[in-house]
Amino acid sequence: MKHQISDRQGARVVVFKGEVDLESSPAARELLLNCFDTARKVIVDLSEVTYIDSSGVASLVEALQAAKKSGSQFALAASSEPTRRVLELARLDKVFTMYDSVDEGLS
């Protein structure tokens, strides 16, 4: 998994690329949780995620919980088809705030 972080319009935007799996999810988790130290709104761009397993999903859920505890906003954007399918199967598409694009999430 590769990642890219930027600050746009008062939000931290995190882009994940590749596979978010058992090997990479600890890094994803740490990266997401650290975002709440300085950002009140975090948007995760999943458009370039080719695969996500349960450990990757757990990292997203933990970030959502951390956002709620800190009073921050957390959203997913531009989910790739494989990622969207996993989230829908777990019915997490109803739990997360999800946008079709990062720009939609920023507006």
Side-chain angles (χ1 to χ4, degrees):
M1 173 199 77
K2 293 183 180 184
H3 72 275
Q4 192 172 35
I5 301 172
S6 61
D7 291 319
R8 292 179 50 195
Q9 296 175 244
R12 173 99 5 113
V13 177
V14 179
V15 180
F16 287 133
K17 300 176 183 182
E19 297 183 357
V20 184
D21 56 14
L22 186 59
E23 183 179 326
S24 62
S25 62
R29 176 190 170 279
E30 182 176 347
L31 186 139
L32 290 173
L33 295 179
N34 287 338
C35 286
F36 299 110
D37 292 343
T38 56
R40 303 310 283 160
K41 183 174 186 177
V42 176
I43 300 173
V44 181
D45 182 339
L46 299 171
S47 62
E48 296 186 52
V49 173
T50 56
Y51 174 81
I52 189 165
D53 68 7
S54 60
S55 64
V57 171
S59 296
L60 295 175
V61 170
E62 192 168 346
L64 176 63
Q65 291 170 336
K68 287 182 179 183
K69 279 185 182 176
S70 69
S72 301
Q73 297 176 339
F74 182 77
L76 307 179
S79 295
S80 64
E81 187 58 35
T83 302
R84 183 174 294 280
R85 269 188 267 127
V86 169
L87 293 172
E88 287 173 353
L89 283 171
R91 298 181 190 236
L92 290 171
D93 58 321
K94 309 294 186 217
V95 174
F96 287 105
T97 300
M98 298 179 69
Y99 296 106
D100 291 333
S101 69
V102 171
D103 289 336
E104 181 185 343
L106 292 171
S107 61

